[in-house]
Amino acid sequence: MQLVYMYMDSPVGALKLVAHDQALVAVMWDNEDHKRVRLAKPLEDHQHPMLQRVKKQLEEYFVGQRQQFDLPLDFQGTDFQQQVWKALLTIPYGETRSYKEIALQIGNEKAVRAVGAANGKNPISIIAPCHRVIGSSGALVGFAGGLDKKQILLSLEQSQIR
């Protein structure tokens, strides 16, 4: 399946959207470590219908008009990673969960560090809301886009639910 990509501007910087005809594959950061998410080489296509759909929904999210995404997702990772990434999709808008809570949710309470590693490799940032996962102390920890962007996303969501 041919992957396509485009960049979009956002309040958290440029985002690289990657998809194929059936689903979104990745939302990557402007300062992305190319080793974090490994994908086949995509072709640039600003008019691709899937990318346009993703861009529209992200724009709605950033202006507070969308709290849930309605997009087909194609997570590319190990079974364990996919289990963690699917658990991220259950975290409600404006709420957070700890790594331990995610580990418990997937039925493996001893896998806290593995959950953290999988969360860090989440290829579909923002839409699979890895920014909603925090340390057990409530501290903001680890985020591929940077902790400043994690704080922006959490603050955006908090401001919309009040």
Side-chain angles (χ1 to χ4, degrees), residues 63-90:
V63 297
Q65 295 175 344
R66 177 173 291 278
Q67 293 187 0
Q68 289 188 313
F69 293 95
D70 180 24
L71 297 165
L73 306 177
D74 183 5
F75 288 110
Q76 298 180 13
T78 67
D79 289 343
F80 180 80
Q81 287 172 329
Q82 291 189 39
Q83 196 176 13
V84 170
W85 300 334
K86 287 176 182 164
L88 297 176
L89 296 171
T90 69

PDB file of all heavy atoms in Angstrom, residues 63-90:
ATOM      1  N   VAL A  63      -9.255  24.102  17.519  1.00  0.00           N
ATOM      2  CA  VAL A  63     -10.092  25.271  17.825  1.00  0.00           C
ATOM      3  C   VAL A  63     -11.223  24.925  18.782  1.00  0.00           C
ATOM      4  O   VAL A  63     -12.125  25.727  19.014  1.00  0.00           O
ATOM      5  CB  VAL A  63     -10.636  25.961  16.545  1.00  0.00           C
ATOM      6  CG1 VAL A  63      -9.494  26.501  15.698  1.00  0.00           C
ATOM      7  CG2 VAL A  63     -11.540  25.047  15.747  1.00  0.00           C
ATOM      8  N   GLY A  64     -11.192  23.721  19.358  1.00  0.00           N
ATOM      9  CA  GLY A  64     -12.155  23.335  20.370  1.00  0.00           C
ATOM     10  C   GLY A  64     -13.499  22.869  19.838  1.00  0.00           C
ATOM     11  O   GLY A  64     -14.468  22.781  20.585  1.00  0.00           O
ATOM     12  N   GLN A  65     -13.571  22.533  18.552  1.00  0.00           N
ATOM     13  CA  GLN A  65     -14.825  22.069  17.965  1.00  0.00           C
ATOM     14  C   GLN A  65     -14.922  20.547  17.865  1.00  0.00           C
ATOM     15  O   GLN A  65     -15.939  20.034  17.428  1.00  0.00           O
ATOM     16  CB  GLN A  65     -15.005  22.671  16.560  1.00  0.00           C
ATOM     17  CG  GLN A  65     -15.151  24.166  16.563  1.00  0.00           C
ATOM     18  CD  GLN A  65     -15.203  24.738  15.165  1.00  0.00           C
ATOM     19  OE1 GLN A  65     -14.854  24.084  14.181  1.00  0.00           O
ATOM     20  NE2 GLN A  65     -15.611  25.987  15.069  1.00  0.00           N
ATOM     21  N   ARG A  66     -13.884  19.845  18.255  1.00  0.00           N
ATOM     22  CA  ARG A  66     -13.886  18.379  18.166  1.00  0.00           C
ATOM     23  C   ARG A  66     -13.217  17.793  19.395  1.00  0.00           C
ATOM     24  O   ARG A  66     -12.107  18.180  19.750  1.00  0.00           O
ATOM     25  CB  ARG A  66     -13.161  17.909  16.905  1.00  0.00           C
ATOM     26  CG  ARG A  66     -13.059  16.385  16.796  1.00  0.00           C
ATOM     27  CD  ARG A  66     -12.478  15.948  15.461  1.00  0.00           C
ATOM     28  NE  ARG A  66     -13.369  16.217  14.370  1.00  0.00           N
ATOM     29  CZ  ARG A  66     -14.402  15.438  14.010  1.00  0.00           C
ATOM     30  NH1 ARG A  66     -14.663  14.331  14.683  1.00  0.00           N
ATOM     31  NH2 ARG A  66     -15.149  15.755  12.980  1.00  0.00           N
ATOM     32  N   GLN A  67     -13.908  16.838  20.036  1.00  0.00           N
ATOM     33  CA  GLN A  67     -13.331  16.152  21.185  1.00  0.00           C
ATOM     34  C   GLN A  67     -13.038  14.691  20.885  1.00  0.00           C
ATOM     35  O   GLN A  67     -12.306  14.044  21.615  1.00  0.00           O
ATOM     36  CB  GLN A  67     -14.273  16.262  22.385  1.00  0.00           C
ATOM     37  CG  GLN A  67     -14.395  17.685  22.879  1.00  0.00           C
ATOM     38  CD  GLN A  67     -15.186  17.798  24.161  1.00  0.00           C
ATOM     39  OE1 GLN A  67     -15.672  16.817  24.714  1.00  0.00           O
ATOM     40  NE2 GLN A  67     -15.319  19.012  24.660  1.00  0.00           N
ATOM     41  N   GLN A  68     -13.630  14.162  19.828  1.00  0.00           N
ATOM     42  CA  GLN A  68     -13.366  12.780  19.406  1.00  0.00           C
ATOM     43  C   GLN A  68     -13.094  12.774  17.908  1.00  0.00           C
ATOM     44  O   GLN A  68     -13.771  13.463  17.149  1.00  0.00           O
ATOM     45  CB  GLN A  68     -14.564  11.888  19.696  1.00  0.00           C
ATOM     46  CG  GLN A  68     -14.771  11.619  21.167  1.00  0.00           C
ATOM     47  CD  GLN A  68     -15.860  10.582  21.376  1.00  0.00           C
ATOM     48  OE1 GLN A  68     -16.925  10.659  20.786  1.00  0.00           O
ATOM     49  NE2 GLN A  68     -15.575   9.607  22.214  1.00  0.00           N
ATOM     50  N   PHE A  69     -12.138  11.959  17.529  1.00  0.00           N
ATOM     51  CA  PHE A  69     -11.810  11.826  16.116  1.00  0.00           C
ATOM     52  C   PHE A  69     -12.596  10.667  15.529  1.00  0.00           C
ATOM     53  O   PHE A  69     -12.871   9.675  16.207  1.00  0.00           O
ATOM     54  CB  PHE A  69     -10.303  11.598  15.945  1.00  0.00           C
ATOM     55  CG  PHE A  69      -9.488  12.791  16.351  1.00  0.00           C
ATOM     56  CD1 PHE A  69      -8.953  12.883  17.626  1.00  0.00           C
ATOM     57  CD2 PHE A  69      -9.284  13.833  15.466  1.00  0.00           C
ATOM     58  CE1 PHE A  69      -8.226  13.997  18.025  1.00  0.00           C
ATOM     59  CE2 PHE A  69      -8.550  14.953  15.842  1.00  0.00           C
ATOM     60  CZ  PHE A  69      -8.026  15.033  17.114  1.00  0.00           C
ATOM     61  N   ASP A  70     -12.959  10.815  14.286  1.00  0.00           N
ATOM     62  CA  ASP A  70     -13.698   9.792  13.560  1.00  0.00           C
ATOM     63  C   ASP A  70     -12.891   9.444  12.313  1.00  0.00           C
ATOM     64  O   ASP A  70     -13.179   9.925  11.216  1.00  0.00           O
ATOM     65  CB  ASP A  70     -15.092  10.318  13.188  1.00  0.00           C
ATOM     66  CG  ASP A  70     -15.906   9.295  12.419  1.00  0.00           C
ATOM     67  OD1 ASP A  70     -15.631   8.080  12.546  1.00  0.00           O
ATOM     68  OD2 ASP A  70     -16.800   9.707  11.658  1.00  0.00           O
ATOM     69  N   LEU A  71     -11.848   8.666  12.522  1.00  0.00           N
ATOM     70  CA  LEU A  71     -10.910   8.324  11.447  1.00  0.00           C
ATOM     71  C   LEU A  71     -10.536   6.849  11.526  1.00  0.00           C
ATOM     72  O   LEU A  71     -10.337   6.325  12.628  1.00  0.00           O
ATOM     73  CB  LEU A  71      -9.622   9.148  11.591  1.00  0.00           C
ATOM     74  CG  LEU A  71      -9.745  10.659  11.465  1.00  0.00           C
ATOM     75  CD1 LEU A  71      -8.495  11.337  11.993  1.00  0.00           C
ATOM     76  CD2 LEU A  71     -10.009  11.045  10.012  1.00  0.00           C
ATOM     77  N   PRO A  72     -10.382   6.199  10.384  1.00  0.00           N
ATOM     78  CA  PRO A  72      -9.829   4.846  10.409  1.00  0.00           C
ATOM     79  C   PRO A  72      -8.323   4.941  10.688  1.00  0.00           C
ATOM     80  O   PRO A  72      -7.637   5.775  10.109  1.00  0.00           O
ATOM     81  CB  PRO A  72     -10.113   4.319   9.000  1.00  0.00           C
ATOM     82  CG  PRO A  72     -10.237   5.539   8.143  1.00  0.00           C
ATOM     83  CD  PRO A  72     -10.746   6.640   9.036  1.00  0.00           C
ATOM     84  N   LEU A  73      -7.852   4.103  11.605  1.00  0.00           N
ATOM     85  CA  LEU A  73      -6.446   4.124  12.005  1.00  0.00           C
ATOM     86  C   LEU A  73      -5.786   2.793  11.669  1.00  0.00           C
ATOM     87  O   LEU A  73      -6.381   1.736  11.868  1.00  0.00           O
ATOM     88  CB  LEU A  73      -6.333   4.378  13.512  1.00  0.00           C
ATOM     89  CG  LEU A  73      -7.063   5.624  14.045  1.00  0.00           C
ATOM     90  CD1 LEU A  73      -6.922   5.700  15.560  1.00  0.00           C
ATOM     91  CD2 LEU A  73      -6.561   6.876  13.377  1.00  0.00           C
ATOM     92  N   ASP A  74      -4.559   2.849  11.200  1.00  0.00           N
ATOM     93  CA  ASP A  74      -3.789   1.651  10.889  1.00  0.00           C
ATOM     94  C   ASP A  74      -2.504   1.701  11.714  1.00  0.00           C
ATOM     95  O   ASP A  74      -1.492   2.241  11.277  1.00  0.00           O
ATOM     96  CB  ASP A  74      -3.480   1.590   9.393  1.00  0.00           C
ATOM     97  CG  ASP A  74      -2.741   0.323   8.989  1.00  0.00           C
ATOM     98  OD1 ASP A  74      -2.540  -0.573   9.846  1.00  0.00           O
ATOM     99  OD2 ASP A  74      -2.350   0.221   7.804  1.00  0.00           O
ATOM    100  N   PHE A  75      -2.581   1.169  12.947  1.00  0.00           N
ATOM    101  CA  PHE A  75      -1.413   1.129  13.821  1.00  0.00           C
ATOM    102  C   PHE A  75      -0.450   0.068  13.312  1.00  0.00           C
ATOM    103  O   PHE A  75      -0.839  -1.072  13.115  1.00  0.00           O
ATOM    104  CB  PHE A  75      -1.819   0.768  15.253  1.00  0.00           C
ATOM    105  CG  PHE A  75      -2.540   1.862  15.979  1.00  0.00           C
ATOM    106  CD1 PHE A  75      -3.884   1.753  16.267  1.00  0.00           C
ATOM    107  CD2 PHE A  75      -1.858   2.994  16.386  1.00  0.00           C
ATOM    108  CE1 PHE A  75      -4.546   2.746  16.968  1.00  0.00           C
ATOM    109  CE2 PHE A  75      -2.511   4.003  17.089  1.00  0.00           C
ATOM    110  CZ  PHE A  75      -3.855   3.881  17.370  1.00  0.00           C
ATOM    111  N   GLN A  76       0.808   0.443  13.127  1.00  0.00           N
ATOM    112  CA  GLN A  76       1.818  -0.500  12.668  1.00  0.00           C
ATOM    113  C   GLN A  76       2.844  -0.686  13.781  1.00  0.00           C
ATOM    114  O   GLN A  76       3.686   0.176  14.008  1.00  0.00           O
ATOM    115  CB  GLN A  76       2.452   0.011  11.375  1.00  0.00           C
ATOM    116  CG  GLN A  76       1.424   0.117  10.256  1.00  0.00           C
ATOM    117  CD  GLN A  76       1.993   0.614   8.952  1.00  0.00           C
ATOM    118  OE1 GLN A  76       3.203   0.678   8.745  1.00  0.00           O
ATOM    119  NE2 GLN A  76       1.109   0.963   8.041  1.00  0.00           N
ATOM    120  N   GLY A  77       2.716  -1.815  14.492  1.00  0.00           N
ATOM    121  CA  GLY A  77       3.620  -2.115  15.597  1.00  0.00           C
ATOM    122  C   GLY A  77       3.377  -3.522  16.091  1.00  0.00           C
ATOM    123  O   GLY A  77       2.594  -4.272  15.506  1.00  0.00           O
ATOM    124  N   THR A  78       4.031  -3.868  17.184  1.00  0.00           N
ATOM    125  CA  THR A  78       3.873  -5.206  17.763  1.00  0.00           C
ATOM    126  C   THR A  78       2.468  -5.353  18.347  1.00  0.00           C
ATOM    127  O   THR A  78       1.767  -4.357  18.565  1.00  0.00           O
ATOM    128  CB  THR A  78       4.900  -5.450  18.878  1.00  0.00           C
ATOM    129  OG1 THR A  78       4.591  -4.580  19.976  1.00  0.00           O
ATOM    130  CG2 THR A  78       6.335  -5.221  18.390  1.00  0.00           C
ATOM    131  N   ASP A  79       2.094  -6.573  18.654  1.00  0.00           N
ATOM    132  CA  ASP A  79       0.786  -6.808  19.275  1.00  0.00           C
ATOM    133  C   ASP A  79       0.668  -6.038  20.592  1.00  0.00           C
ATOM    134  O   ASP A  79      -0.373  -5.451  20.877  1.00  0.00           O
ATOM    135  CB  ASP A  79       0.555  -8.306  19.522  1.00  0.00           C
ATOM    136  CG  ASP A  79       0.323  -9.086  18.231  1.00  0.00           C
ATOM    137  OD1 ASP A  79       0.026  -8.466  17.197  1.00  0.00           O
ATOM    138  OD2 ASP A  79       0.434 -10.323  18.280  1.00  0.00           O
ATOM    139  N   PHE A  80       1.729  -6.062  21.406  1.00  0.00           N
ATOM    140  CA  PHE A  80       1.700  -5.346  22.681  1.00  0.00           C
ATOM    141  C   PHE A  80       1.540  -3.842  22.453  1.00  0.00           C
ATOM    142  O   PHE A  80       0.724  -3.183  23.104  1.00  0.00           O
ATOM    143  CB  PHE A  80       2.963  -5.624  23.502  1.00  0.00           C
ATOM    144  CG  PHE A  80       2.974  -4.899  24.816  1.00  0.00           C
ATOM    145  CD1 PHE A  80       2.268  -5.395  25.906  1.00  0.00           C
ATOM    146  CD2 PHE A  80       3.661  -3.703  24.963  1.00  0.00           C
ATOM    147  CE1 PHE A  80       2.255  -4.713  27.125  1.00  0.00           C
ATOM    148  CE2 PHE A  80       3.655  -3.017  26.168  1.00  0.00           C
ATOM    149  CZ  PHE A  80       2.947  -3.531  27.246  1.00  0.00           C
ATOM    150  N   GLN A  81       2.327  -3.287  21.527  1.00  0.00           N
ATOM    151  CA  GLN A  81       2.215  -1.857  21.235  1.00  0.00           C
ATOM    152  C   GLN A  81       0.799  -1.504  20.800  1.00  0.00           C
ATOM    153  O   GLN A  81       0.219  -0.524  21.271  1.00  0.00           O
ATOM    154  CB  GLN A  81       3.208  -1.451  20.144  1.00  0.00           C
ATOM    155  CG  GLN A  81       4.645  -1.424  20.610  1.00  0.00           C
ATOM    156  CD  GLN A  81       5.620  -1.211  19.470  1.00  0.00           C
ATOM    157  OE1 GLN A  81       5.399  -1.621  18.332  1.00  0.00           O
ATOM    158  NE2 GLN A  81       6.733  -0.563  19.777  1.00  0.00           N
ATOM    159  N   GLN A  82       0.229  -2.323  19.921  1.00  0.00           N
ATOM    160  CA  GLN A  82      -1.122  -2.045  19.439  1.00  0.00           C
ATOM    161  C   GLN A  82      -2.138  -2.100  20.572  1.00  0.00           C
ATOM    162  O   GLN A  82      -3.084  -1.316  20.610  1.00  0.00           O
ATOM    163  CB  GLN A  82      -1.491  -3.004  18.311  1.00  0.00           C
ATOM    164  CG  GLN A  82      -0.690  -2.717  17.053  1.00  0.00           C
ATOM    165  CD  GLN A  82      -1.161  -3.485  15.859  1.00  0.00           C
ATOM    166  OE1 GLN A  82      -2.356  -3.662  15.674  1.00  0.00           O
ATOM    167  NE2 GLN A  82      -0.232  -3.932  15.037  1.00  0.00           N
ATOM    168  N   GLN A  83      -1.928  -3.002  21.519  1.00  0.00           N
ATOM    169  CA  GLN A  83      -2.812  -3.103  22.677  1.00  0.00           C
ATOM    170  C   GLN A  83      -2.754  -1.802  23.491  1.00  0.00           C
ATOM    171  O   GLN A  83      -3.785  -1.262  23.900  1.00  0.00           O
ATOM    172  CB  GLN A  83      -2.368  -4.301  23.523  1.00  0.00           C
ATOM    173  CG  GLN A  83      -3.359  -4.775  24.518  1.00  0.00           C
ATOM    174  CD  GLN A  83      -2.863  -6.029  25.238  1.00  0.00           C
ATOM    175  OE1 GLN A  83      -1.696  -6.411  25.171  1.00  0.00           O
ATOM    176  NE2 GLN A  83      -3.769  -6.674  25.944  1.00  0.00           N
ATOM    177  N   VAL A  84      -1.553  -1.284  23.698  1.00  0.00           N
ATOM    178  CA  VAL A  84      -1.379  -0.027  24.437  1.00  0.00           C
ATOM    179  C   VAL A  84      -2.003   1.124  23.650  1.00  0.00           C
ATOM    180  O   VAL A  84      -2.743   1.946  24.210  1.00  0.00           O
ATOM    181  CB  VAL A  84       0.114   0.246  24.735  1.00  0.00           C
ATOM    182  CG1 VAL A  84       0.316   1.659  25.289  1.00  0.00           C
ATOM    183  CG2 VAL A  84       0.663  -0.801  25.689  1.00  0.00           C
ATOM    184  N   TRP A  85      -1.731   1.193  22.356  1.00  0.00           N
ATOM    185  CA  TRP A  85      -2.244   2.303  21.552  1.00  0.00           C
ATOM    186  C   TRP A  85      -3.767   2.299  21.498  1.00  0.00           C
ATOM    187  O   TRP A  85      -4.398   3.349  21.534  1.00  0.00           O
ATOM    188  CB  TRP A  85      -1.646   2.270  20.158  1.00  0.00           C
ATOM    189  CG  TRP A  85      -0.137   2.375  20.144  1.00  0.00           C
ATOM    190  CD1 TRP A  85       0.657   2.970  21.104  1.00  0.00           C
ATOM    191  CD2 TRP A  85       0.756   1.871  19.171  1.00  0.00           C
ATOM    192  NE1 TRP A  85       1.977   2.862  20.755  1.00  0.00           N
ATOM    193  CE2 TRP A  85       2.081   2.191  19.579  1.00  0.00           C
ATOM    194  CE3 TRP A  85       0.583   1.179  17.969  1.00  0.00           C
ATOM    195  CZ2 TRP A  85       3.195   1.860  18.834  1.00  0.00           C
ATOM    196  CZ3 TRP A  85       1.699   0.842  17.224  1.00  0.00           C
ATOM    197  CH2 TRP A  85       2.995   1.179  17.655  1.00  0.00           C
ATOM    198  N   LYS A  86      -4.356   1.132  21.466  1.00  0.00           N
ATOM    199  CA  LYS A  86      -5.824   1.053  21.477  1.00  0.00           C
ATOM    200  C   LYS A  86      -6.372   1.479  22.842  1.00  0.00           C
ATOM    201  O   LYS A  86      -7.442   2.094  22.921  1.00  0.00           O
ATOM    202  CB  LYS A  86      -6.290  -0.340  21.070  1.00  0.00           C
ATOM    203  CG  LYS A  86      -6.087  -0.555  19.577  1.00  0.00           C
ATOM    204  CD  LYS A  86      -6.427  -1.937  19.106  1.00  0.00           C
ATOM    205  CE  LYS A  86      -6.141  -2.024  17.608  1.00  0.00           C
ATOM    206  NZ  LYS A  86      -6.084  -3.364  17.115  1.00  0.00           N
ATOM    207  N   ALA A  87      -5.630   1.196  23.900  1.00  0.00           N
ATOM    208  CA  ALA A  87      -6.044   1.654  25.233  1.00  0.00           C
ATOM    209  C   ALA A  87      -6.017   3.187  25.308  1.00  0.00           C
ATOM    210  O   ALA A  87      -6.858   3.795  25.975  1.00  0.00           O
ATOM    211  CB  ALA A  87      -5.147   1.043  26.313  1.00  0.00           C
ATOM    212  N   LEU A  88      -5.067   3.807  24.616  1.00  0.00           N
ATOM    213  CA  LEU A  88      -5.007   5.272  24.596  1.00  0.00           C
ATOM    214  C   LEU A  88      -6.309   5.862  24.061  1.00  0.00           C
ATOM    215  O   LEU A  88      -6.765   6.909  24.530  1.00  0.00           O
ATOM    216  CB  LEU A  88      -3.851   5.760  23.709  1.00  0.00           C
ATOM    217  CG  LEU A  88      -2.434   5.384  24.114  1.00  0.00           C
ATOM    218  CD1 LEU A  88      -1.446   5.876  23.066  1.00  0.00           C
ATOM    219  CD2 LEU A  88      -2.093   5.911  25.490  1.00  0.00           C
ATOM    220  N   LEU A  89      -6.901   5.185  23.091  1.00  0.00           N
ATOM    221  CA  LEU A  89      -8.128   5.678  22.461  1.00  0.00           C
ATOM    222  C   LEU A  89      -9.309   5.725  23.428  1.00  0.00           C
ATOM    223  O   LEU A  89     -10.306   6.384  23.144  1.00  0.00           O
ATOM    224  CB  LEU A  89      -8.477   4.815  21.246  1.00  0.00           C
ATOM    225  CG  LEU A  89      -7.463   4.842  20.100  1.00  0.00           C
ATOM    226  CD1 LEU A  89      -7.804   3.785  19.058  1.00  0.00           C
ATOM    227  CD2 LEU A  89      -7.385   6.223  19.471  1.00  0.00           C
ATOM    228  N   THR A  90      -9.186   5.047  24.567  1.00  0.00           N
ATOM    229  CA  THR A  90     -10.285   5.016  25.539  1.00  0.00           C
ATOM    230  C   THR A  90     -10.172   6.126  26.593  1.00  0.00           C
ATOM    231  O   THR A  90     -11.081   6.282  27.398  1.00  0.00           O
ATOM    232  CB  THR A  90     -10.361   3.657  26.263  1.00  0.00           C
ATOM    233  OG1 THR A  90      -9.227   3.504  27.127  1.00  0.00           O
ATOM    234  CG2 THR A  90     -10.423   2.496  25.271  1.00  0.00           C
TER     235      THR A  90
END
